[in-house]
Amino acid sequence: MKHLIPFLNRKPTVAVIRLQGVIGAGGRAQLSDEALGPVIEKAFSRGKPKAVALVINSPGGSPVQSSLIAARIRRLATEKEIPVHAFVEDVAASGGYWLAVAADDIWVDDSSILGSIGVISAGFGAQVFLSRQGIERRVYTAGKSKSTLDPFLPEKPEDVKRLKGLLGQIHEAFIAHVKARRGAKLADDPDIFTGEFWLGQRSIDLGLADGIGHLMPKMKELYGDKVRFAKYGRKRGLLSRFGATLAQDALSAVEERASYARFGL
């Protein structure tokens, strides 16, 4: 009788969301809540999936966008009562790990890189160069802090102190997020929240991940050999599909390459 009623024989479906690239709000960033929102909503809603799998390969980026994306995933997982599994490819570091922690469990390869639970701000100072070139920098403000950390002016200790205070607050929010999601799984190791990062098995020992596992075999183990996969991700624009490269795309590639290079990738 069951073969006469198709929906009774429906195979379990796992919705797969690929989260790859640098996280940020700008047009050059590959991962943002605005761009991924419709993708994530569709993955949780279409076809009543048995689970959602996050395939992560990200060196991090914006803490705000990381938080927004992760919060959206958790909201939908709770509302629809759907388990979420994360699978780390090359790297889930900094904001990339923030996304991984949105899952109920995290699976890695032996050579995956995880961690970097910290916050960084990088810039440059060009005041000496300008002076040598005979260029005078003129800045007029209303409000004494309006020119804070201007790269064309000498660095002020009070500006650095304020910036470090802000970075510290973001770091605390990151730590709280990881502790809330990983809880008692985390090892009692002071290095976890120092910005350090580790390979697969060591990340498991520290409680940052749950085990060695790859997408298809792990999902078949959990949901049966007949599980099917529905893949979701950002669609490429028409120009990129035909291999066209704009100046902005080239700059984006350089910035992304530098982000991955921090982890030897």
Side-chain angles (χ1 to χ4, degrees):
M1 183 69 180
K2 286 186 177 180
H3 70 281
L4 299 177
I5 310 176
F7 64 82
L8 291 180
N9 285 325
R10 182 178 292 168
K11 298 176 182 178
T13 299
V14 173
V16 181
I17 306 173
R18 174 163 287 277
L19 302 175
Q20 178 165 331
V22 175
I23 305 166
R28 294 194 300 268
Q30 294 191 23
L31 303 178
S32 69
D33 184 59
E34 180 181 15
L36 286 172
V39 175
I40 296 171
E41 298 279 346
K42 187 182 297 183
F44 274 92
S45 302
R46 180 172 289 180
K48 296 182 178 180
K50 193 75 172 179
V52 169
L54 310 176
V55 178
I56 299 174
N57 196 342
S58 174
S62 163
V64 173
Q65 293 301 313
S66 302
S67 178
L68 290 173
I69 295 169
R72 184 185 294 271
I73 291 169
R74 288 314 315 158
R75 173 178 60 80
L76 289 168
T78 300
E79 288 178 358
K80 299 181 179 297
E81 299 182 335
I82 295 176
V84 180
H85 311 280
F87 292 87
V88 179
E89 293 188 333
D90 296 281
V91 59
S94 196
Y97 186 67
W98 194 309
L99 299 183
V101 173
D104 298 302
D105 47 45
I106 301 172
W107 304 94
V108 299
D109 182 82
D110 283 309
S111 298
S112 297
I113 295 173
L114 280 79
S116 191
I117 303 172
V119 185
I120 185 172
S121 175
F124 62 91
Q127 73 276 5
V128 175
F129 172 78
L130 293 182
S131 177
R132 287 176 178 173
Q133 300 304 314
I135 301 172
E136 181 183 0
R137 170 74 165 164
R138 295 175 179 175
V139 179
Y140 309 98
T141 67
K144 66 177 182 178
S145 298
K146 195 61 180 177
S147 62
T148 296
L149 295 173
D150 188 320
F152 298 104
L153 294 175
E155 192 173 65
K156 299 177 181 178
E158 59 268 27
D159 290 352
V160 176
K161 181 179 180 181
R162 174 161 173 73
L163 175 61
K164 287 185 175 181
L166 296 174
L167 296 179
Q169 292 176 49
I170 297 173
H171 192 199
E172 288 300 320
F174 195 171
I175 293 172
H177 173 63
V178 173
K179 287 184 175 180
R181 295 296 305 153
R182 298 298 295 174
K185 293 181 179 180
L186 293 172
D188 184 16
D189 190 314
D191 288 336
I192 289 179
F193 301 116
T194 63
E196 181 63 91
F197 49 89
W198 300 270
L199 291 180
Q201 186 56 56
R202 181 54 179 159
S203 70
I204 296 168
D205 296 340
L206 292 171
L208 298 176
D210 295 283
I212 302 296
H214 297 164
L215 175 64
M216 293 187 67
K218 178 56 66 174
M219 291 297 90
K220 286 184 177 182
E221 176 189 328
L222 294 177
Y223 301 105
D225 290 336
K226 294 184 178 180
V227 65
R228 49 188 297 274
F229 299 91
K231 297 182 180 180
Y232 298 87
R234 288 186 60 187
K235 293 183 179 179
R236 292 182 297 167
L238 182 62
L239 290 176
S240 62
R241 290 183 188 180
F242 286 96
T245 303
L246 304 177
Q248 189 176 29
D249 297 325
L251 178 59
S252 175
V254 172
E255 292 176 342
E256 182 168 344
R257 181 68 262 158
S259 296
Y260 279 98
R262 288 186 55 239
F263 304 99
L265 300 172

